[in-house]
Amino acid sequence: MRTPLALTLGAMLVATSVWAQEPAEVPLYFAVGIPNANVPNIDGSNADWKWVDKSFEVTIEDMHALTGSADDADDLFVDILIGWNQSQNSVYAMIHSHDDFLIVDKNPSCTFRDDNCEVHFDPDNQGGGPYSAPADQDLQPAFQMCLSFSDQFPRVQMYNGALGNFNQSAFDFWWTHSGDFVKANMVNQGQEYYYEFSAILFDPLSVSGGPGASTRWVLAAEQTIGMSISVDDADEGV
C-alpha cells in the first residue's frame, strides 16, 4: 500500500504560543509564534518543540489520503507542528511520522514514490501553483520542497511542476545547498521519522534570476499563508 497523506492548510501566523482557535472551513491551522529564545536548531530532533502547546498540533486525523489508506497507527501515524519567527522571517516545521517500514531509493529519480515528505508554499495564498503556473513564466507564485532519506539523491530538493527541478538554474545551488534560505534535517530512529525545516519564503520566485530577482516574503502576525504538507508512505511490494 502506498499512502500519500496530504494536509492542505492556510497557516495563520499567531504571535503568541498560549492559544489556538478552531480551524475554519477552508481549513485554517495556526503556526505558533516562536520567541527568539525558542528558535529551534534544525537538527531533526523534536526536543526544541516540547514547549509548544498541544493545541497547535496537527495529526493524521486532520489529513486526507490521496491514494490508499493507513491500516492503523502502527502502520502510519503523523503529527505536525508549524511555527514562525519574526526576527528570522522564517517558517519552521517539525513533522513526525511513525511508519513500520522505511522505503527509500526504490524508485530512481522519483523520491515521492518512496517514503518522503513534500511541502508546498504559496506565501500570498492566492493559488496559481506550483503545478498550474505557465511553463514560460519566470516569476513563479508557488513552489515545492521535497525532504527524503535518500542516499542516491539530494535529501532536500526544490521543485516547480511547470518548470521541473531547479537543477536547471543557478537558483538550485543557492536554495538547496547554501542553506541561506532553507535549512532541513531528517532523523530516523527505529520506526520514528522526523523531518524538520526552516524556510525563508519568496513570492514571486524567479527561476532564471535566483534570489536577487525574487521577492522575499515578509511574515507578520495574523497573516495567512498557503501551505500543504504531504507524507508519502510506501510499503514493501507496492
Side-chain angles (χ1 to χ4, degrees), residues 30-106:
F30 291 85
V32 63
I34 302 177
N36 290 338
N38 293 97
V39 171
N41 293 318
I42 307 302
D43 55 8
S45 168
N46 65 352
D48 292 341
W49 296 82
K50 298 296 186 183
W51 62 274
V52 180
D53 190 278
K54 282 289 187 180
S55 60
F56 285 95
E57 187 175 76
V58 179
T59 75
I60 192 172
E61 303 299 329
D62 304 300
M63 305 172 77
H64 62 276
L66 297 178
T67 60
S69 62
D71 294 336
D72 51 38
D74 288 331
D75 177 32
L76 181 67
F77 183 79
V78 179
D79 55 86
I80 299 170
L81 290 170
I82 301 170
W84 73 290
N85 175 265
Q86 189 167 35
S87 64
Q88 297 296 318
N89 192 36
S90 294
V91 170
Y92 297 80
M94 166 52 68
I95 300 146
H96 162 252
S97 68
H98 171 92
D99 185 5
D100 48 1
F101 298 105
L102 176 64
I103 308 296
V104 294
D105 294 331
K106 297 295 180 69

Side-chain angles (χ1 to χ4, degrees), residues 1 14 19 50 68 73 75 99 106 142 164 168 184 206-207 233:
M1 158 190 52
V14 297
W19 62 273
K50 298 296 186 183
D75 177 32
D99 185 5
K106 297 295 180 69
Q168 301 169 3
S206 172
V207 174
D233 175 28

Side-chain angles (χ1 to χ4, degrees), residues 95 111 115-119 145-150 154-158 182-186 195-197 232:
I95 300 146
T111 57
D115 290 344
N116 178 71
C117 178
E118 302 174 62
V119 185
M145 175 173 67
C146 289
L147 305 173
S148 77
F149 289 92
S150 174
R155 293 194 170 199
V156 181
Q157 298 179 51
M158 304 308 294
V182 165
K183 296 180 175 65
N185 223 317
M186 285 67 77
Y195 304 89
E196 186 177 27
F197 71 83
D232 302 326

Side-chain angles (χ1 to χ4, degrees), residues 165-184:
N165 282 307
F166 289 166
N167 297 337
Q168 301 169 3
S169 72
F171 192 81
D172 176 71
F173 174 80
W174 279 86
W175 192 286
T176 65
H177 300 293
S178 73
D180 289 338
F181 308 112
V182 165
K183 296 180 175 65

